[in-house]
Amino acid sequence: MLDMFRMSGPVRGSGHGSGGRLAPAARLLVCAALPWYACVWLGTSTAPVAAALPAVLILRGDLFAAPRAALERLVGVAVGVLLSVAVLHWLPTGPLSFPVLLVCACAGMYLLRHGGSPNQQVIITALVIYSTPVPGYPLARLVESAVGIAVVALLGPLLWPPDPYRETALGLEEYRAGLADRLARTAARAAAPAPAGVPAAAPVAAFALWHRPYELSAALERTAGRVLLLPPRRDAAGQAGPLRPRLRLAARTAPALQFLTREVETRPAADDASARAMAPLIEATGRALDEALRGGPCADRLRAARELEAAHRAAHPGARDAVLRAGIHLTQQVLAEHLGPAAD
């Protein structure tokens, strides 16, 4: 029966493979090369490295946050240029000017922090200009950075933008596959509990699995409102059912299933008949949830799982047994709410 529950094969993650790396690489190439040649044409320098750096430093994170990150970086560059020019104007390069510049740059870095993170571009720019006391270099550095930042902010989000709905759907499919494997192992552990005194192994990836639905929901909400090139109400991504209800189902059932797995896997008594009787109940509930996360009909599977829970409750009515069933019961309740009238 456990083999029937292991129905999920490996799933290709979003961004995996050459196709997922090609678009970011091409975007980085264009956004680094375009300001480089623009600054060469403007004559700022023969090797305007500062014009290409914004693409490397900004486009490695959230693409749709690029305009905000670019503006913060531009402000940091401007403040770093002003601080280094002011310090070098009043103090010559030497043992006195360097600590003064360092203190001023650190103060500016923390005064311009955003979201608790200091603007490190202030101190980076200030130190680079301090180490390059060439006439005209501060202005050239400012112009090159401004050109590179402008290209990243204006052009970066428009070049091969990712589809947040497709990325979320792929992430949800990965979670579904990982959940199926986790519940299969939990059912096997319930069928053959560990001897007394033998603790259950706690996989390092367990927390990441249960936290995954919340990460997917947050990422989708964070990007969906900023994607201008996609239909604003697009909700399905080539899947069997709407994406958001299935994602909400995953997020609501994750805490109950986390509690269930830890309760079963840390139950030490090897002769616990109640725990052994949980194995088919976990399998049946897991199959119903797996089908719902796929977007398919699962009312019949949920009905069968509820019957198994009722039988387990009748056979094992104790308070300790109720705690063992709590995760299953909550999962079935959420599944019933997800299905609506179809669950009746």
Side-chain angles (χ1 to χ4, degrees), residues 172 175 208-218 247 250-252 254:
L172 181 60
Y175 170 75
L209 173 68
W210 304 122
H211 193 62
R212 186 62 175 152
Y214 301 98
E215 292 178 343
L216 294 171
S217 299
L247 187 59
R252 291 188 63 196

Side-chain angles (χ1 to χ4, degrees), residues 20-62:
R21 293 189 294 265
L22 183 59
R27 186 187 307 117
L28 176 61
L29 179 63
V30 172
C31 291
L34 187 61
W36 172 287
Y37 289 108
C39 289
V40 170
W41 178 75
L42 291 174
T44 58
S45 68
T46 57
V49 176
L53 283 178
V56 178
L57 299 175
I58 296 174
L59 293 180
R60 64 181 181 180
D62 182 5

Side-chain angles (χ1 to χ4, degrees), residues 11-15 165-175:
V11 179
R12 181 180 63 86
S14 64
Y165 303 100
R166 178 177 177 274
E167 299 290 318
T168 303
L170 290 173
L172 181 60
E173 182 68 6
E174 284 186 331
Y175 170 75

Side-chain angles (χ1 to χ4, degrees), residues 58-284:
I58 296 174
L59 293 180
R60 64 181 181 180
D62 182 5
L63 177 63
F64 301 109
R68 177 187 57 80
L71 179 60
E72 294 174 3
R73 189 164 294 276
L74 180 59
V75 172
V77 170
V79 172
V81 168
L82 291 176
L83 287 175
S84 58
V85 169
V87 170
L88 289 175
H89 176 74
W90 295 103
L91 296 172
T93 302
L96 179 60
S97 60
F98 178 74
V100 171
L101 176 66
L102 199 59
V103 170
C104 294
C106 286
M109 178 177 67
Y110 284 100
L111 288 175
L112 294 177
R113 68 181 181 272
H114 181 273
S117 299
N119 192 331
Q120 295 180 328
Q121 188 61 49
V122 176
I123 193 168
I124 292 174
T125 302
L127 292 177
V128 168
I129 294 178
Y130 179 84
S131 64
T132 315
V134 178
Y137 178 73
L139 179 60
R141 169 83 183 192
L142 182 60
V143 171
E144 291 171 2
S145 298
V147 172
I149 288 171
V151 170
V152 169
L154 300 177
L155 194 58
L158 303 180
L159 295 174
W160 304 283
D163 185 342
Y165 303 100
R166 178 177 177 274
E167 299 290 318
T168 303
L170 290 173
L172 181 60
E173 182 68 6
E174 284 186 331
Y175 170 75
R176 185 194 63 78
L179 177 64
D181 179 73
R182 180 72 174 175
L183 291 182
R185 288 189 282 112
T186 302
R189 179 62 182 256
V198 179
V204 177
F207 177 79
L209 173 68
W210 304 122
H211 193 62
R212 186 62 175 152
Y214 301 98
E215 292 178 343
L216 294 171
S217 299
L220 182 62
E221 296 305 321
R222 187 170 59 247
T223 60
R226 290 179 282 174
V227 183
L228 303 180
L229 302 184
L230 296 174
R233 294 188 179 275
R234 181 179 177 185
D235 199 29
Q239 301 297 313
L243 176 61
R244 291 180 187 273
R246 291 185 292 127
L247 187 59
R248 187 162 51 249
L249 172 65
R252 291 188 63 196
T253 54
L257 293 173
Q258 181 183 16
F259 174 80
L260 168 70
T261 56
R262 295 306 297 155
E263 183 68 20
V264 170
E265 292 171 359
T266 58
R267 199 139 168 142
D271 58 347
D272 193 336
S274 175
R276 289 197 300 273
M278 284 289 295
L281 179 54
I282 295 172
E283 293 171 5

